[in-house]
Amino acid sequence: MSRDALDQSARDRRFLGGVVVYGHPVRREGLWLSVLGPLRAWRDAEEINLGAPQQRTLLAVLLVRCGDPVMMREIIDVLWPENPPSTVTNVVQRYISQLRRLLPPDTLMRSAGGYFLDLGPDSVDLMEFRGRVAEAAAIEHRDPARATDVLVDALRLWRAPVAANVDSAIRFAPMFVELDNELVTVALQTTRLALGLGRAGQLLPVLHAAAAAAPLNERLQAAIMQVLAATGCAAEALARFAAFRSRLSDELGVEPGPQLMAVHRAILDGAPLESGAAAEADPQPAARPGIRLAQLPADLPTFAGRSGAIERLSSFLRGHGDGSASARIVAVSGLGGIGKTTLAVHCGHLLDADFPGGQLYVNMRGFDPSGACVKPQDALRSFLTALGVSERDQPQDLDAQVALYRSMIAGRQIIVVIDNVRDSQHARPLLPGTPGCAAIVTSRDALTGLIVAEGALPVVLNLLSRAEAEVMLEQRLGARRVATEPGAVDEIIAYCVGVPLALAIFSARAATHPQFALGQLSAELAEASHRLDSFGRTDGDNDLRAVFSWSYDLLGDSSARLFRLLAIHPGPAFGATTAASLMAVDTRTGAELLGELGRANLLIEYEPGRFRMHDLVRAYSAELLVSGEPEDERRTATRRLLDHYLHGSLAATAHLDSHRRLDSAALEPPVAGVTVERFADFETALNWFAKERPTLLMVLDQAVAFHADTHVWYLAWAMDSFVRRHDFWRDWEATQLCALAAAQRLGDVWMQAWSSLVLGHIYYESEWNVSGEGEHYLLEAVALFAAAGDRLHQAHAHRNLAAQLGDFGRPAEERRQNEAALSLYLELERDSPGSVPPDYIASVHEALKIWEQGLPYALKSVKYLDGAGNHREAGAWNILAHIHVGLHNWTECVAAAERSFTLYQAIGNEYLAGVALHQVAIVLVPAGRPVEARAMLERAVQIFRRIGHQRAESAQELLDSTGTQQTTESETDSPVSGVR
């Protein structure tokens, strides 16, 4: 490398351990947003906090499409690839509102059906990058040296993978993959220009940085090797090839592609590599004259649905002539029977006019039940024959075949459909190597190797939507027949769960029996235990069991057993620790087995490390479970699963509510082989509960069916903190009713008492407010705790019962219950000082309006619970606020109420946060404190309306009655002044 090049290199970057690392973007005046690397933003010299992860992802989406509208549907698909929340539009609008506060006015605007970010190259690194690329394109013919400098400057903006700090699963969305490919294309264009000018040395810094951002991209590696060879560093180029080849093998289990291998061989042979210096290729035989290549199977006349996938795939491949440096590749993956081949063939026909050179097609039979897949050599021979090369002239060596094939189609604008490959390596030799051509590759494998190393666009096919499934039935059976039996159609669609092959098999049966009503045929599907039987009455290739078995038969013994045992799992999703417990293996092995099932497309990895199995696959798994696992093994695995979720829930609730303790002497430790979830802190425990809540409810029902009553009760107890915290009233009621029934079957009086106490609270505080039920359960709790000899919890039950009686206008009974509670608390304190938490005693003093005696206990309780961050601490501050009300300490009252409100909000309990404000506001109004009262009531009304609670009406009535008052100068000193 020349001295000038070395000096330029030193100015451009710094070396860390031999890796070229560019510094942060230049800090500019005003706003600067960076997406060509980690998503970051600065205003002047100060970095901006971009908010929650999904809000950051939304900003990344808008930046990647900066200058173009982004449809709401596309935003939702990227942010929530699976199961968006019912309030998804409101959530997106809230993120948009928060982003607008960070951006200049009128830059994030609404467009028809979506949003539009209007920022230029002075504010966004991507816009500056594209501006420089456009500038280089405009001057390339008259001043290629200047164009090369401009492109090098543009590439310096690319610091890491696009939006590198966004969730890696989301970064596989087409818009991010396309931008990564765009950046690679510019790097390769720059390489060709610089090599042609003999200025390769200045490229190394930017190419090293580009390769660090796309470490497995073979085209970039080939470019670096060319540059190294051109600057006299052939040995370094060969060493780089060896290191990269080893990395591909270790991380992807594949060999380098033919293009990189060709560069390697050329360097070994000392052949020139600079642009324009290559010798002209030997003349190659032409395709058969007068015959256009048209190998695609016939398009399906009844094709329906997949509009989003078709649009992404077609748009990507129609860009094949835009100056890209290589062929465009699409990797279509999904479950067997999901419609991959049908989509690929359909799109191939749709794009016929875009590829005038014609179509090549091969079915590689990668998952054939016989195990005899088509070898790449055989597929290449068929392609070469179609291209006019006689068998006599075809080479025997695979590399030579690949080279001849790619030479034959270069510049021909041919689309190649490589169907049903086993993995990326199976497809690689058949990929076109030059721009103008394109390939669609389909597989049950995720084809990660093509996505990462070849820049392929991933298109993952999921289940058909209900509307798409109905259109498919109409296409195959006729709109009239479908319209006459809407109820039966609904059942058919539900039973086929969006699997196109299932719908096709059913439609074939219905079409060949037009005399059968659809309702009669749908009845065949109704028996869940025999559901797959209805899809087995056809030839082997289309039998749904056979389709699933093709993937299953390729599994190793351990992954096949996990597939069978997953039928035991009742919930919608699972991860590595669950798999580990089912199999009685370690977590790492569990993750590896799930990965193997995911790669076989028997499972869907909908987010990193989390998997789902759709209903028909589960039905197949259940059949295999019964036939392949002895009953005692099934029962043992079920026990491990129950232990896994129970002990995981107990570990999580210990973080959610550290002051909550339970004598678990009756609970056995987990059986051998169970992997118990471990949690680092409050947040990880809370997130686990949020993610696993649907599964935990199903596991509880499974424990009931398994007659594991101890598991039922303890699981309901462990879930109590989470469902209470988030006001999941129906879940709370259902789990505690199960717990009470389990305790009764166990004959455990104390367990019955506890569940009765919780149910009494649920029926009083919940949105349906069933007063009679609440009182019944609390009276039961009082009697049962007394029978169990538990005076502390007996006092709790008296206290809760008193609160209900007071709210229902029975003050005399309320007082008797409070006096009973206080008597028990003080009796316990005399017998064992410190045995009663001070917040319990303070709450009864407050209820009996014994303010002076209650204040020391209230102050002691907030100190005792300081930092707990749970309901107890929030409630202690609420009690202190009410005692200050009784003592007319208004300033202290408002401060304590605000502290209680803040704590309830921090733990996610909006209902009790609103109650804390509402109750104090009720007494502030007659006390002549309308400003503080209004501030509290406005927030309380907002909360109650947001969660749909009936307290909103009474809070609004009180707010209306306070009137509108101006805040005086003296009132602005209030702790809640101006808070809304």
Side-chain angles (χ1 to χ4, degrees), residues 324-400:
S324 298
S326 60
R328 295 208 166 194
I329 302 163
V330 175
V332 182
S333 63
L335 178 75
I338 206 69
K340 301 180 294 297
T341 298
T342 305
L343 175 73
V345 170
H346 181 70
C347 288
H349 285 290
L350 281 179
L351 294 166
D352 184 61
D354 297 278
F355 293 92
Q359 314 144 350
L360 291 171
Y361 172 86
V362 62
N363 179 1
M364 300 296 285
R365 304 191 71 83
F367 295 86
D368 192 281
S370 68
C373 50
V374 175
K375 296 178 181 178
Q377 294 95 318
D378 295 334
L380 283 168
R381 274 195 285 273
S382 72
F383 281 177
L384 289 170
T385 300
L387 289 165
V389 182
S390 68
E391 286 194 28
R392 178 177 55 83
D393 294 328
Q394 292 179 18
Q396 298 302 308
D397 177 69
L398 175 61
D399 288 344

Side-chain angles (χ1 to χ4, degrees), residues 801-867:
L801 183 55
Q804 292 198 22
L805 294 169
D807 278 358
F808 296 129
R810 295 155 67 180
E813 294 173 81
E814 173 194 10
R815 186 168 189 82
R816 282 197 296 273
Q817 293 295 331
N818 273 321
E819 288 172 344
L822 184 58
S823 175
L824 285 168
Y825 284 147
L826 296 177
E827 179 183 306
L828 281 166
E829 272 294 288
R830 283 194 302 270
D831 293 347
S832 179
S835 61
V836 181
D839 52 319
Y840 295 169
I841 302 175
S843 70
V844 184
H845 279 99
E846 184 272 326
L848 290 169
K849 302 180 181 179
I850 311 173
W851 316 117
E852 293 287 352
Q853 293 94 322
L855 183 59
Y857 287 107
L859 292 170
K860 185 178 180 181
S861 67
V862 295
K863 185 176 181 181
Y864 165 74
L865 292 165
D866 183 40

Side-chain angles (χ1 to χ4, degrees), residues 25-32 40-48:
V26 176
R27 305 296 174 84
R28 314 173 184 213
E29 293 184 0
L31 182 71
W32 180 248
R40 300 175 71 181
W42 291 265
R43 184 172 284 108
D44 298 325
E46 296 294 326
E47 187 162 6
I48 301 170

Side-chain angles (χ1 to χ4, degrees), residues 143-177:
D143 193 349
R146 172 61 184 154
T148 302
D149 291 338
V150 172
L151 288 174
V152 169
D153 286 341
L155 288 169
R156 289 192 182 112
L157 295 167
W158 184 18
R159 298 167 293 111
V162 173
N165 51 351
V166 168
D167 188 321
S168 59
I170 290 173
R171 287 196 67 260
F172 278 114
M175 64 176 63
F176 294 108
V177 174

Side-chain angles (χ1 to χ4, degrees), residues 224-495:
I224 293 173
M225 289 170 62
Q226 286 180 291
V227 170
L228 287 169
T231 53
C233 301
E236 186 178 342
L238 294 173
R240 186 176 189 91
F241 173 82
F244 183 72
R245 184 177 197 171
S246 176
R247 182 171 184 178
L248 279 182
S249 176
D250 291 344
E251 297 187 19
L252 299 178
V254 299
E255 284 291 308
Q259 181 181 1
L260 187 57
M261 293 291 289
V263 171
H264 178 243
R265 282 196 303 273
I267 295 172
L268 284 173
D269 296 341
L273 287 168
E274 283 96 349
S275 176
E280 289 192 15
D282 294 333
Q284 299 294 345
R288 296 173 185 175
I291 300 178
R292 182 177 183 271
L293 295 170
Q295 292 191 340
L296 283 178
D299 195 8
L300 188 67
T302 56
F303 186 91
R306 303 296 190 201
S307 57
I310 292 170
E311 175 61 29
R312 290 200 307 276
L313 189 154
S314 301
S315 298
F316 181 73
L317 293 185
R318 282 193 173 111
H320 68 92
D322 64 355
S324 298
S326 60
R328 295 208 166 194
I329 302 163
V330 175
V332 182
S333 63
L335 178 75
I338 206 69
K340 301 180 294 297
T341 298
T342 305
L343 175 73
V345 170
H346 181 70
C347 288
H349 285 290
L350 281 179
L351 294 166
D352 184 61
D354 297 278
F355 293 92
Q359 314 144 350
L360 291 171
Y361 172 86
V362 62
N363 179 1
M364 300 296 285
R365 304 191 71 83
F367 295 86
D368 192 281
S370 68
C373 50
V374 175
K375 296 178 181 178
Q377 294 95 318
D378 295 334
L380 283 168
R381 274 195 285 273
S382 72
F383 281 177
L384 289 170
T385 300
L387 289 165
V389 182
S390 68
E391 286 194 28
R392 178 177 55 83
D393 294 328
Q394 292 179 18
Q396 298 302 308
D397 177 69
L398 175 61
D399 288 344
Q401 285 180 325
V402 172
L404 177 58
Y405 159 65
R406 288 184 173 153
S407 298
M408 290 292 300
I409 66 174
R412 296 269 309 270
Q413 292 186 303
I414 291 173
I415 186 168
V416 186
V417 176
I418 310 165
D419 192 22
N420 197 18
V421 301
R422 179 168 293 201
D423 52 30
S424 298
Q425 192 68 9
H426 197 197
R428 267 205 167 114
L430 306 175
L431 297 176
T434 54
C437 294
I440 305 174
V441 186
T442 77
S443 181
R444 298 182 198 180
D445 183 79
L447 298 176
T448 307
L450 296 187
I451 296 166
V452 175
E454 307 290 344
L457 174 74
V459 176
V460 181
L461 295 189
N462 293 313
L463 305 176
L464 292 175
S465 68
R466 192 216 172 280
E468 289 175 322
E470 185 170 356
V471 171
M472 183 175 173
L473 289 175
E474 289 175 349
Q475 294 274 32
R476 289 172 176 263
L477 302 178
R480 179 179 298 178
R481 188 176 182 189
V482 171
T484 56
E485 296 185 70
V489 168
D490 287 340
E491 291 176 356
I492 293 161
I493 291 172
Y495 291 138

